[in-house]
Amino acid sequence: DIQLTQSPSFLSASVGDRVTITCRASQGISSYLAWYQQKPGKAPKLLIYAASTLQSGVPSRFSGSGSGTEFTLTISSLQPEDFATYYCQQLNSFGPGTKVDIK
Amino acid sequence: QVQLQESGPGLVKPSQTLSLTCTVSGGSISSGSYYWSWIRQPAGKGLEWIGRIYTSGSTNYNPSLKSRVTISVDTSKNQFSLKLSSVTAADTAVYYCAREELRPTGDWFDPWGQGTLVTVSS
């Protein structure tokens, strides 16, 4: 089974900051990666699929890139509503999550 | 748009079987090339995929849970269901149902149900 790791596991940032989260796969997965945002008490919300395709309705400050074994989720200018936990996913595996907190 | 809603008991006794149903509204569970999945999340922890079903009835399960999991579909009711047998406290979690899209370019879960907390306790 493919294992996904995320870094950092926690990051503290301010409104307006550029934030980058990395997801690494234990073997090459082409562009087979999705990103989700989860807020406390809520279901995960799809942000990006196929590594870089923005889901309809998701703000353009979110972007994804990468292929093979290394992928990134970037928030170009962090907004108050973006403080949440972010997960990457490929088929049956989820990454452990990255919590984005207010500095 | 398609919406999913989980239902079932919130409390299950150890060694018994957890049973949940996901009702799909706003579209037919049989339309399109979608899979229907169950995912769980223990409190304060990450997401764990449990299994998926296609409307043909074909299933895939997480190997770590395979011996205890059964997922079924009832297209006449636009529902799919999860049964997890011989539960222990380690199965206490929020259980989500989700639609899975599987394409040559990747796979992703969208939409998700709101989730339902199942506690295993005597």
Side-chain angles (χ1 to χ4, degrees):
Chain A
D1 274 6
I2 291 172
Q3 308 298 319
L4 299 176
T5 59
Q6 288 182 235
S7 59
S9 54
F10 178 85
L11 75 87
S12 187
S14 301
V15 172
D17 283 353
R18 181 182 182 88
V19 167
T20 298
I21 299 168
T22 298
C23 178
R24 290 185 175 87
S26 58
Q27 58 186 275
I29 57 173
S30 185
S31 298
Y32 242 74
L33 194 90
W35 289 96
Y36 302 85
Q37 175 194 68
Q38 187 179 33
K39 297 181 179 179
K42 300 294 187 182
K45 172 188 172 185
L46 176 67
L47 298 176
I48 286 169
Y49 61 92
S52 60
T53 303
L54 198 66
Q55 172 69 344
S56 175
V58 174
S60 59
R61 63 181 180 273
F62 291 92
S63 64
S65 64
S67 67
T69 61
E70 188 159 325
F71 302 83
T72 59
L73 172 70
T74 300
I75 309 171
S76 60
S77 178
L78 198 65
Q79 297 302 300
E81 60 268 30
D82 300 337
F83 292 97
T85 300
Y86 294 84
Y87 294 94
C88 58
Q89 172 259 326
Q90 188 271 341
L91 278 177
N92 307 339
S93 298
F94 288 90
T98 295
K99 185 175 182 180
V100 178
D101 211 345
I102 301 172
K103 183 182 285 185
Chain B
Q1 73 278 19
V2 171
Q3 293 182 309
L4 287 74
Q5 177 70 58
E6 305 89 351
S7 59
L11 180 64
V12 180
K13 288 182 167 51
S15 80
Q16 293 191 344
T17 296
L18 176 161
S19 296
L20 295 174
T21 295
C22 182
T23 300
V24 180
S25 60
S28 170
I29 199 171
S30 301
S31 67
S33 300
Y34 298 112
Y35 289 78
W36 304 91
S37 284
W38 288 96
I39 296 155
R40 69 180 183 179
Q41 185 174 37
K45 296 189 177 180
L47 300 161
E48 180 181 33
W49 174 79
I50 299 170
R52 64 171 64 88
I53 190 165
Y54 194 62
T55 49
S56 65
S58 66
T59 55
N60 299 112
Y61 298 133
N62 186 322
S64 68
L65 299 170
K66 187 174 183 177
S67 64
R68 299 193 292 130
V69 173
T70 302
I71 297 176
S72 58
V73 64
D74 187 336
T75 54
S76 67
K77 294 182 178 179
N78 233 30
Q79 295 176 334
F80 63 107
S81 298
L82 168 70
K83 290 190 186 299
L84 182 65
S85 63
S86 305
V87 297
T88 69
D91 295 309
T92 295
V94 174
Y95 285 75
Y96 296 101
C97 58
R99 185 180 72 177
E100 182 178 8
E101 191 151 358
L102 204 60
R103 302 285 170 148
T105 50
D107 83 296
W108 52 92
F109 298 98
D110 182 71
W112 296 58
Q114 66 183 28
T116 187
L117 174 63
V118 178
T119 302
V120 178
S121 176
S122 55

